Amino acid sequence: MLEGNWTGSSTVPSRALYPHQWSWDSAFIAIGLRHYAPVRAQRELETLLTAQWADGRIPHIVFNPTVPLGAYFPSPDFWRSSSAGDLAGAPTAVETSGIVQPPVHALAALLVHEADPAESERRGFLPHVYPRLVAWQRYLTERRDLGGRGLASIVHPWESGMDNSPCWDPPLSRVEPAARGTFQRADLDHGCPADRPTDLDYCRYVRLAATYRDHGYADGPDTALFAVEDPAFNALLIASEHALAGIASAIGADPSDHLVRGEQLTTAFIKRLWDEDTGLFLCQDVIGNEPVRERGACGLLPLILPGLPEEVVAPLLATLAGEHFGLGTTTRMAPSYDLRGAAFDPARYWRGPAWFNVNWLLERGLRQYGATAAADALADTMLATAVSSGFAEYVDPVSGEARGSRDFSWTAALVMDLAVRSR
């Protein structure tokens, strides 16, 4: 599957629905590729970083110019990155989107290096990517601190990677939808409508993206229509500081700044987003200045962070196994949203289905905090479900029934990683 989705310089998530290069997809794909093609894993990340903007952002899509415009929406002529993003330093040699996705890239780069250190050193992989990854990190910690509390804000639900989560519904409800006749969705040509976002949600997504574009992709609290501190996004941001410390050590640089910043961010993160009553990290609506009281898998992913206090870890583990997510009891894999939530839907995109990348991160978190039996069981279930579902994009969390695209690249890559690590 990964061979079939390889374009020569990067890997598409799927040939039909997602025919370009996606940012966090490529990070997860590189993590799997490192086990059998470490140089290609390096190239996956290097190709993505060639599209980095001068302000440090890594765009969520790098467009393949050979793909027809109608194959995917929003297409390059919607984003107009090289013109609308001129003041933000968008590249001129390639068209991209103007928004971002979660920062998994430093972790991926470190794991890729560790898979074949000799070849990585021969190619100068880490010295090449390190300054770019630092610039990416500083973009998020500085330009995206819209709440002024040290955490990064997402300015569009797509930036979370969990595009259609009910966690975005309250802040998204303030956004005036774009008119339905002003664009043509392409996703419904390749997916079941019951699995995809509604037209109303899509109209709001388009409005947000167009407004951000029309402001020159400038970041600021005064221009944002949507600004949310997402716990998953920020947990990966903090994990990236720890990964950058590892990269710095590997190339002979001083890791201390990254370690100190990681500790500072973790303190701010717990203070700002931890909710003791729900035993979960909650999203913070920056514009509304209030927490979003929806239980999403995004609130569980901070388990990937090292050094969380026991008074946070124990409730998180209990929440993961409890009635709202049911891992190990009622669900095969952790759902993307609260089983008991009013918006839960086991089929619709990010509103309940289980995703392999989310569960791969949870498996790492479980193992890190000593829940070895639960981690082993989740890994075994993910391997079996990937095969039985045809390596689906996502699945029903209870039955394991396939949803979304099949032959999905990060599903193949991440279960490859689990299979190799379990040998």
Side-chain angles (χ1 to χ4, degrees):
M1 274 175 276
L2 291 173
E3 293 293 336
N5 288 343
W6 174 247
T7 67
S9 58
S10 64
T11 310
V12 297
S14 74
R15 283 289 178 181
L17 185 54
Y18 304 105
H20 302 285
Q21 183 179 23
W22 261 258
S23 171
W24 79 326
D25 290 71
S26 278
F28 288 123
I29 290 163
I31 287 169
L33 283 176
R34 81 188 199 276
H35 292 296
Y36 83 97
V39 172
R40 204 170 98 191
Q42 293 171 36
R43 287 186 64 197
E44 185 81 36
L45 296 172
E46 290 164 346
T47 298
L48 178 67
L49 289 170
T50 62
Q52 186 172 24
W53 292 27
D55 64 5
R57 84 181 74 192
I58 298 175
H60 97 296
I61 303 174
V62 182
F63 289 107
N64 182 341
T66 68
V67 174
L69 290 178
Y72 182 81
F73 178 83
S75 51
D77 57 341
F78 173 89
W79 294 104
R80 303 198 293 272
S81 63
S82 58
S83 56
D86 178 61
L87 294 179
T92 57
V94 63
E95 291 294 325
T96 75
S97 65
I99 59 174
V100 302
Q101 278 188 321
V104 197
H105 313 87
L107 173 61
L110 181 59
L111 292 175
V112 166
H113 165 76
E114 291 173 345
D116 191 341
E119 185 62 20
S120 172
E121 290 171 11
R122 187 191 70 79
R123 296 185 71 251
F125 172 64
L126 288 185
H128 174 69
V129 302
Y130 175 68
R132 292 161 174 79
L133 293 172
V134 171
W136 167 223
Q137 197 78 354
R138 297 292 79 79
Y139 167 75
L140 294 174
T141 56
E142 295 171 7
R143 295 177 183 247
R144 285 299 190 89
D145 182 12
L146 304 184
R149 305 295 178 89
L151 303 182
S153 292
I154 60 171
V155 299
H156 194 293
W158 290 343
E159 293 197 317
S160 70
M162 303 184 187
D163 303 8
N164 197 40
S165 170
C167 293
W168 320 130
D169 290 355
L172 197 61
S173 67
R174 293 191 298 261
V175 177
E176 180 184 354
R180 281 190 169 90
T182 58
F183 64 93
Q184 180 65 46
R185 294 177 65 172
D187 60 318
L188 298 182
D189 296 337
H190 306 287
C192 173
D195 291 358
R196 304 297 300 166
T198 66
D199 281 346
L200 177 59
D201 285 333
Y202 223 91
C203 287
R204 288 192 165 113
Y205 300 152
V206 170
R207 173 70 69 187
L208 276 178
T211 301
Y212 191 40
R213 175 199 66 202
D214 294 345
H215 282 92
Y217 298 112
D219 296 306
D222 297 333
T223 58
L225 299 179
F226 176 99
V228 175
E229 292 165 349
D230 167 23
F233 194 102
N234 279 280
L236 290 166
L237 179 72
I238 298 167
S240 293
E241 288 292 352
H242 291 282
L244 286 169
I247 293 172
S249 295
I251 63 175
D254 185 356
S256 58
D257 284 350
H258 295 300
L259 294 173
V260 169
R261 191 173 287 109
E263 291 177 3
Q264 292 172 338
L265 285 170
T266 300
T267 299
F269 178 67
I270 295 172
K271 183 177 181 180
R272 177 77 160 162
L273 301 184
W274 174 245
D275 187 77
E276 185 177 354
D277 293 339
T278 57
L280 195 69
F281 286 88
L282 297 181
C283 300
Q284 179 75 14
D285 179 357
V286 173
I287 295 173
N289 194 29
E290 60 184 354
V292 179
R293 299 208 167 274
E294 296 283 359
R295 293 176 171 90
C298 57
L300 297 168
L301 288 190
L303 279 170
I304 66 171
L305 294 178
L308 290 178
E310 176 61 23
E311 59 268 27
V312 170
V313 173
L316 267 181
L317 293 175
T319 299
L320 178 57
E323 62 180 349
H324 296 286
F325 295 93
L327 185 65
T329 52
T330 58
T331 60
R332 297 165 59 90
M333 292 164 54
S336 49
Y337 175 66
D338 181 4
L339 295 169
R340 300 175 65 86
F344 175 77
D345 184 332
R348 197 174 293 278
Y349 198 62
W350 290 109
R351 301 182 83 83
W355 291 72
F356 288 87
N357 65 328
V358 168
N359 280 268
W360 181 86
L361 290 166
L362 289 173
E363 188 267 350
R364 289 179 68 89
L366 287 167
R367 205 169 294 285
Q368 174 173 235
Y369 285 104
T372 305
D376 289 343
L378 179 56
D380 289 344
T381 299
M382 290 174 66
L383 289 166
T385 304
V387 174
S388 65
S389 69
F391 293 84
E393 182 180 2
Y394 47 98
V395 298
D396 183 299
V398 176
S399 69
E401 180 183 355
R403 297 289 183 182
S405 296
R406 308 299 188 270
D407 296 344
F408 201 71
S409 289
W410 79 26
T411 301
L414 294 177
V415 298
M416 179 188 299
D417 178 67
L418 290 175
V420 170
R421 289 197 285 113
S422 67
R423 287 190 307 199

